[in-house]
Each structure stands twice: as C-alpha cells, then as structure tokens.
Amino acid sequence: MTEKAQSCAYDPSSSRADEFINHQEILDTLAFADEHKHDLRLIDKILDKAQPNLNPARDHCSVLSHRDAAVLLACDIPEVNERIKGLARQIKLAYYGNRIVLFAPLYLSNYCVNGCLYCPYHAKNRDIARRKLSQDEIREQVIALQDMGHKRLAIESGEDPVMSPIEYILESMKTIYSVKHRNGAIRRVNVNIAATTVDEYRMLKEAEIGTYILFQETYHKESYLALHPTGPKHDYDWHTEAMDRAMEGGIDDVGLGVLFGLEKYRYEFVGLLMHAEHLEAVWGVGPHTISVPRVKPAMDIDPASFDDGLSDDMFEKIIALIRIAVPYTGMIISTRESQAVREKALQYGISQISGGSRTSVGGYEEEERPHDTEQFDVSDQRTLDEVIHWLMECGHIPSFCTACYRAGRTGDRFMSFCKSGQILNYCQPNALMTLDEYLMDYASPTTRSLGRSLIARELTRIPDARVRRVTREHLSAIESSNARDFRF
C-alpha cells in the first residue's frame, strides 16, 4: 500500500477510485461486521430498514449501506439467513415480478494485449486459437442467434487496439442491428469491452449501445495489480473510474460485476456496493445491472489456482444481499453456473440470464459446440428452448423485452420508474408479448403449449384494464399474422 493510498479518505462523491473504493473503509466495514455479526438488535434494525422495499410504489427504494449489508453477510445465524433469503425473494418480486430477461453473449474477437492471470485470452497464451469475426461472419452469427429466438446480445471482445479498435466494435454494432432475418431482429446490443475514453464512450452512445458492461474483476488494488501484471488493464484507477467516463460520455445504463474467487468475497461484496453508492452519489443513477460471475475452468486456467472461491450457499446469500441492498438493479447470472445453481439464484434476486450461450468466438452456426476459442467452460449447456421451458415450469415468465431502452427509459428515467415500482406496468405486458413472439416463431410444440397456458394465466394479473385489453389485442395480432414488436 502506497503512502498516498493510505492517506486517502473515503468519499463516495469523489472522482478518484482510491477514495470512492477506499481500502481502509472496506477494512473498517469488515471489522465492524465481525464485531456485530451476532448483534440481533442491530440485525433486526437493518432488516427492518429494507422492509419498505416490499412496497416501492409507496416508499421509493430504501437502500441499505455497504456497512449494513456487510453485517448481514457476516451473520452466520441460520434463522437470520433464512429471513434474508425470504426478504430478497419478496423484494425481487416487488420490483421485477416473476419475469426473467433472456440474452446471449457474442464474442467478436479473442485477441488481447493484457496479461490477466485468470483469463485464457491473456497475451502469453500461445495455445489458444486466435480469431476475429469479419462483418460477414457476424451476420452469420446474428442470423443463427435470431433463429434461436434471441433479441438481446452482449458483445464481448479482448482488448487489442490493432485487432479490435473502437471502429471495429462500432461497425460490428451497426452490422448486428442491420440484420433482419424472417421475423428476427436484435433489438438491444449491450457492450462488454475494456475501459476506454470519454470520446469513445460517446461514439458507443451514438451507435445505440444498450448497457455498457465492465467487470471490476477485483476491487482489492494490490490483488488487482498482481492479477493484471501487463497491458493497459494493469492501470487500476483507469479501469475502476471507467463507469464515470461512460456516464460523462452519455451512457447512462452501466453494468457492474466482480469475478468472485479472485479475492476474499467479503471484500469484493463491500467494494461492489460502494461502487453502486458512488454512482448514485455522483450521477444519481446506480448500476443498471450487477453480474455475479465466479472463476471457472478454461484453457490454461485452473480455478484451484485462486484460493478465494465461495460455496454455493454463500454465493446464494451474496445474490440475496445484493438484491436487498440494491433493490432496483437488474441482476445477471450466466451459463458459467449449472442449472441447479441458477434455479436457486433466480429465487433470490436474479432477473436476467443467458441461454443457449457459447463463449467461443463465433460458433452459434455450428451444431457441435467449439472449444478452441472459449473464454470459460459453459456449465449450463441447454438450448434456449430448453431454458425457456424450464423457466416456465419454475413459475417464471421468460422475457425478450427491450422496450425501455428503445422508448428512452434509460438512466435516471428508468430508475425513476423502477424505484417507484411503476416499471411493472410496462414489464408484465411487454414480457408476455415478447414471449408470444418466441412461441409463434421459434418454440418447440411442448414449449409453445406450456407458454400459451402461462400467457392466459398471467394476462389476468395485469391490473390496469386498458393495458390488459391492449395487450390482448397485440397478442391476437402476433398470433394471427407476422405483426411483431408491440411494446408499452
């Protein structure tokens, strides 16, 4: 720890990474949590503080502090942990209902100049096949993804200023949006690329980016520097302050995440919540999404090399506490996790999942899953149709909705709807209409039958009579013609 870092004071409104993600504040928070982890009076007070989130329309999003949440995380009393999970489940339903948004990643290139020790794309890996998709190959991938039923993509690329410059990303986005195949269309392109400049974030905004996603990997600066020994990603401050530059560049939907397993999970949990608090303090807009990936096997990568993994039980508790502490955020879990883990995570706060994913560069048009360019092993290898069928069997509404982004409900506008509970007035009918599109165009007969029953049941739960009537009219048009893309 440098002398400069030691002298920094915690300030969530600061523009400096070492002040809004302050090492000493995290250590003090963890010490406080250890001291009070069995203080039932304080724990009850913290949980009571979160209770108003069961009625967001009235109470407008009461948020726990990172210190409040750290106490709950440290608590090992079984009865309290059950109460945490139950509260998280109720808060998730209050804000997002029982819908689950589907997306797929599309890897454009695995060329990378960084030396990240946990990623097989690192520059020193001479065994991995390097590949970059041409625009024609991107069109093929998009058609394959549309034929699966996807409407929302997250594009991924290694950091390489020669092989994957911003111009390549922008051209790729334009190509993706341009492909219209049968009734298919990609309506939202989220972007997960390396930290960049305000000017380049402005270019991404002009190219109609959905959410800008950037995982911190670890908030522990010393560990971060060791895990990123070479390349531009080595600069901790540049990376950690990226969301502020994105906001300055006009991108008001940003997605946070850490890679659990690289550092002590309690440290990462507190840092993640502090980052959310910082965005709220400076921009008035917290993270649009929070992702919760864990280190997984990959070429040249052994998760056992990192000794800070967390159990499935603790993973579920972290998901539940993020939902309680940041109730408005969308929460994402990928196919890194197994079906069993994802099923439990959906109960405690997850609102978005990937389905039918491939983490290789391209590969969606191939019947056999390619492994030579994969970033990590995929645990849940079911098809999108199988995932959708499973979601409905579990009582969820699969949704391909992209309406908020396309209607201008982003950033503070989205948050105002979400924090007040009004977003459900849009989400429920939009989810049902996009699900019906999937059933008509892509579903297997058994999935279509199950979906029809679900839609009929959920239609009656739309509280507003006018919205219910219009939704019925749109559903009828979807089923009787090629009319598509209705939205509220």
Side-chain angles (χ1 to χ4, degrees):
M1 180 81 48
T2 66
E3 210 174 288
K4 178 183 175 183
Q6 286 178 332
S7 66
C8 291
Y10 173 55
D11 181 3
S13 297
S14 173
S15 61
R16 289 179 46 177
D18 54 0
E19 292 182 351
F20 67 78
I21 305 293
N22 183 263
H23 179 67
Q24 190 58 51
E25 171 63 18
I26 296 178
L27 296 183
D28 291 347
T29 294
L30 296 179
F32 180 87
D34 284 334
E35 182 181 352
H36 294 280
K37 65 182 180 181
H38 295 145
D39 184 342
L40 287 176
R41 181 176 296 180
L42 176 61
I43 288 168
D44 285 342
K45 185 178 179 181
I46 293 170
L47 288 170
D48 287 345
K49 183 179 176 181
Q51 284 293 129
N53 285 318
L54 298 178
N55 191 354
R58 184 189 70 201
D59 295 296
H60 294 271
C61 195
S62 172
V63 179
L64 300 187
S65 70
H66 62 271
R67 191 161 289 200
D68 292 333
V71 171
L72 298 181
L73 183 62
C75 179
D76 55 7
I77 301 171
E79 294 80 6
V80 173
N81 287 339
E82 287 305 308
R83 187 179 170 191
I84 286 169
K85 289 181 177 180
L87 181 59
R89 186 183 298 114
Q90 291 176 293
I91 288 174
K92 191 266 178 178
L93 289 173
Y95 281 86
Y96 285 96
N98 60 339
R99 70 184 182 94
I100 302 295
V101 172
L102 278 302
F103 75 95
L106 175 57
Y107 285 75
L108 302 179
S109 171
N110 64 354
Y111 286 94
C112 194
V113 297
N114 290 308
C116 311
L117 300 185
Y118 51 84
C119 178
Y121 291 177
H122 67 82
K124 291 184 179 179
N125 186 352
R126 304 303 181 194
D127 297 323
I128 194 168
R130 301 290 177 176
R131 187 181 177 198
K132 170 187 173 182
L133 298 180
S134 68
Q135 297 306 308
D136 285 341
E137 289 173 323
I138 289 172
R139 288 186 188 90
E140 292 174 1
Q141 297 300 305
V142 171
I143 288 171
L145 284 157
Q146 288 177 358
D147 281 345
M148 292 167 62
H150 278 295
K151 307 295 183 188
R152 177 189 300 236
L153 300 185
I155 60 173
E156 321 259 354
S157 178
E159 183 172 9
D160 189 314
V162 174
M163 297 303 293
S164 304
I166 190 66
E167 291 78 13
Y168 171 68
I169 302 300
L170 298 171
E171 184 183 9
S172 299
M173 292 173 66
K174 183 177 180 180
T175 296
I176 292 167
Y177 278 130
S178 73
V179 178
K180 310 295 186 224
H181 178 64
R182 297 175 183 163
N183 285 335
I186 301 303
R187 299 169 181 166
R188 181 178 178 120
V189 178
N190 298 334
V191 178
N192 184 352
I193 60 170
T196 188
T197 64
V198 173
D199 285 343
E200 292 194 352
Y201 286 126
R202 287 197 182 101
M203 295 164 73
L204 288 167
K205 177 66 174 178
E206 291 169 3
E208 300 184 357
I209 186 176
T211 301
Y212 174 64
I213 302 164
L214 183 67
F215 297 162
Q216 179 63 27
E217 319 302 2
T218 175
Y219 284 101
H220 191 285
K221 188 170 185 177
E222 185 177 342
S223 296
Y224 181 97
L225 296 175
L227 288 163
H228 305 91
T230 59
K233 196 169 180 177
H234 178 74
D235 190 333
Y236 174 89
D237 293 346
W238 177 257
H239 186 86
T240 310
E241 295 163 5
M243 294 308 184
D244 294 270
R245 295 193 301 279
M247 289 281 196
E248 187 179 345
I251 300 175
D252 49 7
D253 283 352
V254 299
L256 304 179
V258 295
L259 185 54
F260 284 104
L262 298 182
E263 181 50 61
K264 299 294 189 290
Y265 66 83
R266 293 175 62 206
Y267 191 103
E268 305 291 33
F269 174 77
V270 174
L272 186 60
L273 296 187
M274 289 169 71
H275 205 163
E277 291 169 355
H278 164 70
L279 294 176
E280 283 276 12
V282 175
W283 302 100
V285 179
H288 188 75
T289 59
I290 293 178
S291 299
V292 287
R294 289 191 286 182
V295 177
K296 293 292 180 180
M299 180 188 293
D300 197 41
I301 304 298
D302 179 4
S305 302
F306 308 97
D307 58 2
D308 292 306
L310 68 162
S311 67
D312 288 350
D313 286 343
M314 187 55 67
F315 185 52
E316 292 162 14
K317 184 176 181 181
I318 284 175
I319 290 169
L321 285 173
I322 293 173
R323 174 54 64 208
I324 292 172
V326 197
Y328 56 80
T329 195
M331 289 188 67
I332 300 174
I333 194 168
S334 76
T335 50
R336 286 175 181 263
E337 301 294 343
S338 68
Q339 174 181 339
V341 169
R342 300 217 295 174
E343 188 163 326
K344 286 190 175 181
L346 289 171
Q347 299 176 40
Y348 305 132
I350 296 298
S351 58
Q352 295 186 29
I353 67 171
S354 50
S357 302
R358 301 200 171 183
T359 66
S360 53
V361 179
Y364 282 107
E365 84 288 5
E366 300 177 30
E367 186 172 343
E368 291 296 322
R369 181 183 297 271
H371 298 287
D372 60 335
T373 61
E374 281 186 322
Q375 189 184 35
F376 58 85
D377 287 353
V378 173
S379 296
D380 188 345
Q381 298 193 9
R382 292 172 297 169
T383 66
L384 180 61
D385 192 79
E386 289 170 332
V387 169
I388 288 172
H389 194 279
W390 162 72
L391 285 173
M392 293 191 292
E393 284 187 323
C394 293
H396 303 290
I397 304 173
S399 173
F400 295 89
C401 178
T402 59
C404 284
Y405 153 72
R406 295 158 73 221
R409 294 190 293 266
T410 62
D412 57 356
R413 295 170 296 287
F414 172 82
M415 289 298 174
S416 67
F417 283 109
C418 187
K419 292 179 181 180
S420 65
Q422 296 180 59
I423 200 69
L424 287 174
N425 297 328
Y426 302 102
C427 293
Q428 186 83 349
N430 287 336
L432 296 180
M433 290 186 295
T434 57
L435 173 60
D436 204 31
E437 288 183 348
Y438 176 83
L439 298 178
M440 287 297 298
D441 295 335
Y442 309 105
S444 65
T446 55
T447 298
R448 185 176 299 116
S449 176
L450 185 60
R452 289 273 183 268
S453 299
L454 180 146
I455 289 173
R457 181 176 67 248
E458 293 293 336
L459 259 175
T460 66
R461 297 176 180 173
I462 297 176
D464 186 284
R466 185 194 69 84
V467 172
R468 190 165 59 249
R469 174 182 57 78
V470 173
T471 302
R472 279 202 174 96
E473 292 172 357
H474 290 338
L475 290 169
S476 178
I478 290 168
E479 293 164 15
S480 63
S481 69
N482 279 331
R484 298 291 183 268
D485 199 16
F486 297 103
R487 64 183 186 268
F488 286 92

